[in-house]
Amino acid sequence: MEKKELYSTGEFAKKANVSIRTIHFYEKKGLIHPFKIAENGYRYYGEEEFARLQRILTLKMLGFSLEEIQALSLNEDDADYLHQSLMQQHSLVQRKITYLQSMEKALEEVADKLKREKKTDWEEITNLIRIANMNRELVEQYQNGTNINARIRLHHLYSQNPKSWFSWIYDQIEEVSMENVLEIGCGTGQFWKENIERIPEKANIFLTDISAGMLEDSRKNLCLGEEEKRFSFGIADACEIPAPDNSFDLVIANFVLFYINDMKKALSEIRRVLKQDGIFVCATYGAGHMAEIEDLVQAYQPKIHLSEIKLYDIFGLENGKNILSPFFQTIEKREYKDSLVVTKASPLLDYIMSCHGNQREHLVKEYHRFVDFVEKKMKQKGKIEITKQAGIFLAKPRK
């Protein structure tokens, strides 16, 4: 068996080019942990801890607070997760470079104009402020992307239906014309990536999202070459779709409607841009979706809620038809049959920490205790079975 190379605190600090005080501080915050503590109290760290420390230092350099880093750095025990994390950081560093270049150019332009004209242009100053705010948007985008990937990963690893969710949805719309298609809230573009070989060559697909970062993720995820003409991208709000009336044969909203502030306005807009013989496809959850995960965390701490609001109460399989009916004539519900059988704790823990509720408030400081709780629950049966309740509505316009 290969001997593990360990470093004392001083060696570890020197290797990472930080102070010993920094190592102690991060350990106190629970961000890093020694591989071993000797009888004399000396601490020793391994390569895994060094990789974790590099992640902390990178995120700190990119503008994350220690609290945010703590929440993002809880569970990195397997190599796949660490590799995925490093690739996400690489993407974020590239965006940071682009951001700094934009800031440099804007500063130079403002300075040159001030030197030439001897007066302040407040429109230019406002633009500088807007660019400066992009830095915070980068951090938020990284967090959102990390959360989305954690949720996709759990389903990818443990779903029992051999037909994937994205492939199943495409089956439902394969006969629909794709001459002109709009997706609202495209996220990382995974739906199209998974079905890329099935998309007609003459399709025109307009991918939109309110996040510029998500659109950039879509471009990269789809690996589009210069010859690829089927896709275009645009920042857009569902309540103000930048397209003429009767533009699209198909409009897709995959787990999006319940996030929209003014759903009536959004549905009116979708109806406006949809052709008379077009189809609106919107995905959502049912009340039983992933309920066992909520039960699990509440068994540990009853105050934890994985979502501040129940998304299916806003737009779900149970009430979706009534919400759509003022705008669409024919509405059909189709459910996707699936479940999860989870046999490893770490992807489930990642999923839990990715949710939009108050779990971080309760779990970050006692995360290792919570890990032990979940692992014991899993050992009791060797698995945790989770209900999936998701589906789509296919809606055709009112005439």
Side-chain angles (χ1 to χ4, degrees):
M1 184 175 177
E2 187 178 350
K3 187 176 179 181
K4 189 178 185 72
E5 186 172 5
L6 298 176
Y7 305 92
S8 68
T9 304
E11 291 169 336
F12 189 61
K14 186 175 181 181
K15 180 178 171 70
N17 197 30
V18 298
S19 68
I20 293 175
R21 184 177 177 182
T22 297
I23 300 297
H24 289 322
F25 178 71
Y26 287 158
E27 186 179 334
K28 184 178 179 181
K29 288 286 186 181
L31 291 167
I32 58 173
H33 309 279
F35 178 80
K36 158 177 113 165
I37 301 177
E39 291 182 3
N40 59 8
Y42 287 4
R43 284 163 156 72
Y44 294 90
Y45 304 84
E47 292 296 336
E48 292 87 353
E49 288 77 26
F50 182 72
R52 188 171 291 113
L53 178 59
Q54 289 302 311
R55 170 185 168 91
I56 293 164
L57 296 173
T58 300
L59 294 177
K60 190 170 182 291
M61 179 269 292
L62 290 168
F64 286 78
S65 69
L66 282 181
E67 290 74 17
E68 290 167 335
I69 294 170
Q70 191 175 40
L72 289 167
S73 304
L74 293 173
N75 189 43
E76 301 170 340
D77 294 331
D78 61 83
D80 288 342
Y81 185 93
L82 184 57
H83 177 263
Q84 183 184 66
S85 173
L86 290 171
M87 293 308 295
Q88 288 172 338
Q89 289 174 64
H90 179 265
S91 175
L92 187 57
V93 168
Q94 288 182 317
R95 289 187 203 164
K96 185 83 171 186
I97 291 169
T98 301
Y99 154 71
L100 290 172
Q101 288 173 337
S102 297
M103 176 61 81
E104 179 185 36
K105 183 179 178 182
L107 285 168
E108 287 174 350
E109 288 175 354
V110 171
D112 288 345
K113 193 168 186 178
L114 184 61
K115 186 176 181 179
R116 288 194 314 270
E117 301 179 5
K118 306 298 183 183
K119 65 178 182 179
T120 303
D121 186 331
W122 287 106
E123 185 175 338
E124 295 283 354
I125 299 296
T126 301
N127 186 50
L128 270 179
I129 295 170
R130 182 190 64 79
I131 294 173
N133 287 333
M134 287 170 54
N135 190 43
R136 186 65 237 170
E137 290 171 9
L138 287 173
V139 171
E140 291 172 358
Q141 171 60 26
Y142 177 83
Q143 290 172 311
N144 290 337
T146 300
N147 290 339
I148 289 170
N149 287 332
R151 293 194 282 275
I152 289 175
R153 184 169 181 247
L154 184 72
H155 291 283
H156 174 73
L157 290 172
Y158 300 114
S159 288
Q160 298 303 291
N161 190 333
K163 173 77 72 173
S164 76
W165 167 254
F166 292 127
S167 181
W168 176 80
I169 291 182
Y170 200 94
D171 288 348
Q172 313 310 304
I173 61 174
E174 195 158 25
E175 300 304 317
V176 179
S177 170
M178 289 200 177
E179 182 178 353
N180 288 291
V181 180
L182 166 69
E183 183 176 15
I184 296 167
C186 66
T188 61
Q190 190 64 27
F191 171 73
W192 302 103
K193 180 178 182 179
E194 191 163 316
N195 294 294
I196 195 73
E197 300 298 328
R198 304 170 69 180
I199 302 169
E201 287 299 323
K202 293 184 178 180
N204 292 297
I205 301 166
F206 183 35
L207 301 187
T208 68
D209 203 287
I210 60 171
S211 166
M214 281 296 183
L215 290 174
E216 184 62 27
D217 281 351
S218 291
R219 287 191 183 93
K220 290 181 179 179
N221 196 27
L222 287 166
C223 302
L224 303 177
E226 290 184 6
E227 73 286 353
E228 179 59 77
K229 306 298 182 184
R230 291 175 292 182
F231 294 93
S232 58
F233 302 83
I235 297 173
D237 188 320
C239 294
E240 295 181 15
I241 299 172
D245 296 356
N246 307 310
S247 294
F248 299 103
D249 304 284
L250 173 65
V251 176
I252 299 175
N254 194 12
F255 301 123
V256 169
L257 288 184
F258 37 55
Y259 292 123
I260 296 172
N261 291 329
D262 190 340
M263 195 183 305
K264 288 183 178 180
K265 187 175 181 182
L267 291 174
S268 178
E269 270 290 272
I270 291 165
R271 170 63 190 89
R272 179 185 67 79
V273 301
L274 193 63
K275 292 180 181 179
Q276 196 61 53
D277 59 348
I279 293 182
F280 174 43
V281 178
C282 50
T284 188
Y285 305 112
H289 186 68
M290 311 293 273
E292 292 84 358
I293 298 182
E294 184 89 12
D295 294 342
L296 177 68
V297 296
Q298 290 197 346
Y300 177 79
Q301 169 53 269
K303 294 181 180 179
I304 294 176
H305 298 281
L306 295 181
S307 179
E308 295 178 2
I309 52 176
K310 303 297 184 186
L311 297 176
Y312 51 77
D313 285 342
I314 300 172
F315 182 82
L317 291 177
E318 294 79 13
N319 62 9
K321 186 172 183 178
N322 289 337
I323 293 171
L324 293 169
S325 60
F327 304 91
F328 299 93
Q329 181 73 45
T330 307
I331 303 164
E332 180 186 355
K333 179 172 72 173
R334 297 181 187 177
E335 292 197 41
Y336 173 70
K337 304 300 182 184
D338 198 9
S339 63
L340 299 175
V341 179
V342 182
T343 56
K344 187 178 177 182
S346 61
L348 179 57
L349 292 161
D350 295 337
Y351 178 94
I352 290 168
M353 298 310 294
S354 78
C355 292
H356 299 296
N358 64 352
Q359 72 280 356
R360 291 180 179 178
E361 175 187 337
H362 294 282
L363 295 178
V364 166
K365 291 183 180 179
E366 51 184 270
Y367 185 69
H368 294 286
R369 193 186 309 166
F370 178 61
V371 171
D372 291 341
F373 172 82
V374 173
E375 288 179 341
K376 285 178 183 177
K377 288 285 185 183
M378 190 162 285
K379 284 179 182 178
Q380 289 174 3
K381 294 184 178 180
K383 61 186 178 182
I384 293 178
E385 297 183 56
I386 299 167
T387 301
K388 288 177 69 173
Q389 190 179 6
I392 60 173
F393 290 99
L394 291 91
K396 296 182 180 180
R398 275 190 178 278
K399 297 182 179 179

